[in-house]
Amino acid sequence: MQEVKLVYPLLEQAKKIIITTHQKPDGDAMGAALGLYHFLTQLGHETTVISPTNWAKFLDWMPGSQTVIDFEAEKEKANLLINAADILFCLDFNVLHRTKNMEAALTGASCIKVLIDHHQQPQEEAFDYGISNVNKSSTCEMVFDFIDASTHKHLLNKDIATCLFTGIMTDTGSFRFSSTTPHVHRVIAALKETGIDHTLIFENIYDNFSENRLRFIGNALLNRLEVLYEYNTALMAIPKKDLVKYDIKTGDTEGLVNYLLTIEGIKLGALVIDRTEERKWSFRSKGDFDVNLFARTHFEGGGHKNAAGGRSSLTIEENINQFKTVIHEYEQQL
Ligand code: 5GP
Ligand code: MN
């Protein structure tokens, strides 16, 4: 993978460009994709964002979101676009299998592939150019840096800024996590200069849910939470029947895992959800406990030191038992 700055000369002439992100894109993935989309479109490129799957309704207000193609819903159209592309930007993921059903199409594509990402252990051999930096708060911060270091930084406008603000806000837990460096605040200042309405962005993301979702969270906190004090760990397991009862949609479970770390003294929060296709884990930690390593070792996953995810095809009960067994090994660290 060569340096990302070598991509600038390739953008001097109009190109067909595809931007993609990980499956079930979150605020950072969608913000980075759409922020870059608005920039490249202004530069005169024929640009399309393709998401591997659908995404949360609370991201639908973002400028440009109506143009995003859902790969699973429009496979034929998406494959034609991927095959015709000159350049493919892969944002906010480190390995191609994070694009789920799109992996084969991306691996097979003969175009130039560019990675911009902040996850650990990137699959460098899969990309021609790129930048991977785990010290970055978000991929949105990195897209800002990419625009800012170009000769076209004057193209930064309110639409780009709105998208990039969203991803930095969501990936830093509203500017709270240790990844929120002085540089992040300078980026936010530059984004604010474009005239974005940050209060509205907060409302669009955090005050945009259904009554059902709030009741689902209430039920989860009351009935699905187990605190393992001897390990400073909180475990929450959501059975499929809860997802059905409260009509839970993509994105409705986002943020749920964060409640676990709000209990005094808890260093590890683990959430497992019984999805139709698999059991999906989310891990969050405080301090030195490395959930990226934990997820990689035990649950086919990965992510960051303090926020990671994983998966399993075993039943939810088997997953709970597995978790409670392996957690013994970490008693000293927790
Ligand atoms: P979340 O718990 O919010 O789904 O994910 C937390 C972090 O872990 C994100 O940075 C996400 O990219 C990463 N992550 C989530 N699930 C997986 C997974 O199955 N595999 C890998 N490698 N990373 C994951
Ligand atoms: Mn991210």
Side-chain angles (χ1 to χ4, degrees):
M1 190 169 86
Q2 299 189 68
E3 286 177 83
V4 77
K5 69 176 186 201
L6 297 175
V7 174
Y8 296 132
L10 308 177
L11 298 175
E12 289 305 317
Q13 266 127 42
K15 294 272 179 353
K16 291 195 176 79
I17 298 180
I18 299 295
I19 303 171
T20 192
T21 75
H22 57 78
Q23 61 142 330
K24 305 279 176 192
D26 57 5
D28 186 36
M30 197 56 106
L34 288 172
L36 186 62
Y37 163 83
H38 291 298
F39 176 68
L40 295 174
T41 303
Q42 284 189 81
L43 272 181
H45 301 293
E46 206 177 297
T47 311
T48 311
V49 178
I50 303 178
S51 167
T53 63
N54 66 355
W55 53 92
K57 193 173 76 61
F58 64 76
L59 298 174
D60 264 349
W61 59 273
M62 290 173 83
S65 61
Q66 329 74 256
T67 70
V68 179
I69 293 177
D70 172 354
F71 181 80
E72 287 184 334
E74 294 183 82
K75 243 180 217 140
E76 213 168 302
K77 185 174 170 189
N79 275 320
L80 284 174
L81 284 162
I82 292 168
N83 290 330
D86 301 309
I87 306 178
L88 170 73
F89 278 90
C90 294
L91 306 183
D92 201 38
F93 66 88
N94 49 354
V95 285
L96 287 174
H97 69 72
R98 294 274 291 134
T99 63
K100 213 179 161 192
N101 299 329
M102 227 169 117
E103 182 185 1
L106 297 185
T107 308
S110 55
C111 62
I112 292 165
K113 293 171 193 163
V114 183
L115 174 74
I116 302 181
D117 179 54
H118 65 138
H119 294 89
Q120 316 211 0
Q121 294 172 259
Q123 187 184 0
E124 295 213 7
E125 69 286 357
F127 302 95
D128 301 293
Y129 303 95
I131 181 162
S132 164
N133 184 349
V134 295
N135 296 317
K136 286 289 173 181
S137 66
S138 54
T139 303
C140 281
E141 179 190 349
M142 301 175 80
V143 168
F144 176 89
D145 293 343
F146 180 75
I147 294 172
D148 195 51
S150 77
T151 51
H152 305 283
K153 66 177 186 181
H154 59 280
L155 294 178
L156 181 73
N157 62 14
K158 192 174 167 184
D159 280 350
I160 297 175
T162 297
C163 297
L164 298 185
F165 183 95
T166 303
I168 299 174
M169 175 186 89
T170 54
D171 257 30
T172 59
S174 303
F175 314 108
R176 167 183 172 186
F177 301 149
S178 59
S179 57
T180 313
T181 57
H183 179 70
V184 167
H185 286 290
R186 279 185 212 109
V187 170
I188 293 300
L191 299 179
K192 273 297 286 176
E193 307 269 20
T194 67
I196 60 169
D197 184 344
H198 71 265
T199 306
L200 185 62
I201 297 174
F202 267 87
E203 286 172 8
N204 282 335
I205 292 287
Y206 295 117
D207 302 339
N208 206 359
F209 295 111
S210 61
E211 175 187 340
N212 262 358
R213 178 184 178 268
L214 201 60
R215 295 196 186 279
F216 164 76
I217 293 172
N219 178 65
L221 295 174
L222 193 61
N223 299 313
R224 309 297 179 211
L225 171 68
E226 188 175 351
V227 186
L228 311 169
Y229 284 105
E230 62 276 39
Y231 303 110
N232 294 315
T233 292
L235 170 65
M236 182 181 271
I238 307 291
K240 196 172 294 155
K241 65 176 182 194
D242 287 8
L243 304 179
V244 175
K245 180 177 175 190
Y246 294 98
D247 192 24
I248 290 306
K249 302 267 189 336
T250 299
D252 280 347
T253 55
E254 215 168 291
L256 186 57
V257 65
N258 297 320
Y259 285 98
L260 306 179
L261 287 186
T262 66
I263 304 170
E264 188 182 10
I266 294 302
K267 290 188 191 151
L268 170 63
L271 167 72
V272 59
I273 301 178
D274 195 358
R275 303 252 181 232
T276 310
E277 62 287 8
E278 61 188 8
R279 262 43 62 209
K280 189 78 187 107
W281 282 95
S282 281
F283 303 103
R284 298 292 185 272
S285 67
K286 276 187 182 155
D288 286 337
F289 192 79
D290 186 343
V291 285
N292 169 51
L293 193 61
F294 183 81
R296 274 175 199 278
T297 310
H298 303 290
F299 294 100
E300 300 173 38
H304 312 275
K305 187 178 160 207
N306 296 121
R311 59 163 304 282
S312 164
S313 37
L314 301 176
T315 67
I316 192 148
E317 290 78 18
E318 288 167 331
N319 269 275
I320 295 167
N321 289 337
Q322 188 188 344
F323 180 84
K324 287 183 175 172
T325 304
V326 299
I327 204 70
H328 287 295
E329 296 170 29
Y330 296 90
E331 194 173 359
Q332 296 304 318
Q333 291 177 47
L334 288 163

